[in-house]
Coordinates of all heavy atoms in Angstrom, one line a residue:
F1559 N 10.2 1.2 -2.4 CA 10.4 0.4 -1.2 C 11.1 1.1 -0.1 O 10.8 1.1 1.1 CB 11.2 -0.9 -1.5 CG 10.4 -2.1 -1.8 CD1 9.9 -2.4 -3.1 CD2 10.1 -3.0 -0.8 CE1 9.1 -3.5 -3.3 CE2 9.3 -4.2 -1.0 CZ 8.8 -4.4 -2.3
K1560 N 12.2 1.9 -0.5 CA 13.0 2.5 0.5 C 12.4 3.8 1.0 O 12.6 4.2 2.1 CB 14.4 2.8 -0.1 CG 15.2 1.5 -0.3 CD 16.6 1.8 -0.9 CE 17.4 0.5 -1.0 NZ 18.5 0.7 -1.9
T1566 N 8.3 -2.5 5.4 CA 8.5 -3.6 4.4 C 8.7 -4.9 5.0 O 8.9 -5.9 4.3 CB 9.7 -3.2 3.5 OG1 10.9 -3.0 4.3 CG2 9.5 -1.9 2.7
A1567 N 8.8 -5.0 6.3 CA 9.1 -6.2 7.0 C 8.2 -7.4 6.6 O 8.6 -8.5 6.3 CB 9.0 -6.0 8.5
L1569 N 6.3 -7.8 3.9 CA 6.5 -8.1 2.5 C 7.8 -9.0 2.3 O 7.8 -10.0 1.6 CB 6.6 -6.9 1.6 CG 5.4 -6.0 1.5 CD1 5.6 -4.7 0.7 CD2 4.2 -6.8 0.9
L1570 N 8.9 -8.5 2.9 CA 10.2 -9.2 2.8 C 10.1 -10.6 3.5 O 10.7 -11.5 2.9 CB 11.3 -8.4 3.4 CG 11.6 -7.1 2.7 CD1 12.6 -6.2 3.5 CD2 12.2 -7.4 1.3
Q1571 N 9.4 -10.6 4.6 CA 9.3 -11.9 5.2 C 8.5 -12.9 4.4 O 8.9 -14.1 4.3 CB 8.8 -11.8 6.7 CG 9.2 -13.0 7.5 CD 8.8 -12.9 9.0 OE1 8.0 -12.0 9.3 NE2 9.3 -13.8 9.8
A1573 N 8.1 -12.9 1.2 CA 8.8 -13.3 0.0 C 10.0 -14.2 0.3 O 10.3 -15.1 -0.4 CB 9.4 -12.0 -0.7
T1574 N 10.6 -14.0 1.5 CA 11.7 -14.8 1.9 C 11.2 -16.2 2.1 O 11.8 -17.2 1.8 CB 12.4 -14.3 3.2 OG1 12.8 -12.9 2.9 CG2 13.5 -15.1 3.7
L1577 N 10.7 -17.9 -1.2 CA 12.0 -18.2 -1.8 C 12.6 -19.4 -1.2 O 13.0 -20.3 -1.9 CB 12.9 -17.0 -1.5 CG 14.2 -16.9 -2.3 CD1 13.9 -16.8 -3.8 CD2 15.1 -15.7 -1.9
L1590 N 6.2 -10.7 -2.6 CA 6.9 -9.4 -2.3 C 6.1 -8.2 -2.5 O 6.2 -7.2 -1.8 CB 8.2 -9.3 -3.2 CG 9.1 -8.1 -2.9 CD1 9.8 -8.3 -1.5 CD2 10.2 -8.0 -4.0
A1691 N 13.9 -12.9 12.3 CA 14.1 -13.3 10.9 C 15.0 -12.2 10.2 O 14.8 -11.0 10.4 CB 12.7 -13.4 10.2
K1692 N 15.9 -12.8 9.5 CA 16.8 -11.9 8.7 C 16.2 -11.7 7.3 O 16.2 -12.6 6.6 CB 18.2 -12.5 8.7 CG 19.0 -12.4 9.9 CD 20.5 -12.4 9.6 CE 21.3 -11.9 10.8 NZ 21.0 -12.6 12.1
V1693 N 15.8 -10.5 7.1 CA 15.2 -10.2 5.7 C 15.9 -9.0 5.2 O 16.3 -8.1 5.9 CB 13.7 -10.0 5.8 CG1 13.0 -11.3 6.1 CG2 13.3 -8.9 6.8
N1694 N 16.1 -9.0 3.8 CA 16.8 -8.0 3.2 C 16.3 -7.8 1.8 O 16.2 -8.7 1.0 CB 18.3 -8.4 3.2 CG 19.2 -7.2 2.8 OD1 18.8 -6.3 2.2 ND2 20.5 -7.3 3.3
L1695 N 16.0 -6.5 1.5 CA 15.6 -6.2 0.1 C 16.6 -6.6 -1.0 O 16.2 -7.0 -2.1 CB 15.2 -4.7 0.0 CG 14.7 -4.2 -1.3 CD1 13.4 -4.9 -1.7 CD2 14.4 -2.7 -1.2
D1696 N 17.9 -6.6 -0.6 CA 18.9 -6.9 -1.6 C 18.7 -8.4 -2.1 O 19.1 -8.6 -3.3 CB 20.3 -6.9 -0.9 CG 20.7 -5.4 -0.6 OD1 20.0 -4.5 -1.1 OD2 21.6 -5.2 0.3
D1697 N 18.1 -9.2 -1.3 CA 17.9 -10.6 -1.8 C 16.9 -10.7 -3.0 O 16.9 -11.7 -3.6 CB 17.3 -11.5 -0.7 CG 18.2 -11.6 0.5 OD1 19.4 -11.3 0.4 OD2 17.8 -12.1 1.6
F1698 N 16.2 -9.6 -3.2 CA 15.2 -9.6 -4.2 C 15.4 -8.7 -5.4 O 14.6 -8.6 -6.3 CB 13.8 -9.3 -3.6 CG 13.5 -10.3 -2.5 CD1 13.7 -9.9 -1.2 CD2 13.1 -11.6 -2.8 CE1 13.4 -10.8 -0.2 CE2 12.8 -12.5 -1.8 CZ 13.0 -12.1 -0.5
V1699 N 16.6 -8.0 -5.4 CA 16.9 -7.1 -6.5 C 16.9 -7.7 -7.8 O 16.4 -7.2 -8.8 CB 18.2 -6.3 -6.1 CG1 18.6 -5.5 -7.3 CG2 18.0 -5.4 -4.9
I1702 N 13.4 -8.8 -8.9 CA 12.7 -7.6 -9.4 C 13.2 -7.3 -10.8 O 12.4 -7.0 -11.7 CB 12.8 -6.4 -8.4 CG1 12.1 -6.7 -7.1 CG2 12.3 -5.1 -9.0 CD1 12.4 -5.7 -6.0

Side-chain angles (χ1 to χ4, degrees):
F1559 262 86
K1560 290 179 176 166
T1566 57
L1569 296 175
L1570 292 172
Q1571 203 176 10
T1574 302
L1577 194 63
L1590 184 68
K1692 283 206 167 52
V1693 287
N1694 194 334
L1695 182 58
D1696 293 343
D1697 295 346
F1698 302 101
V1699 169
I1702 291 172

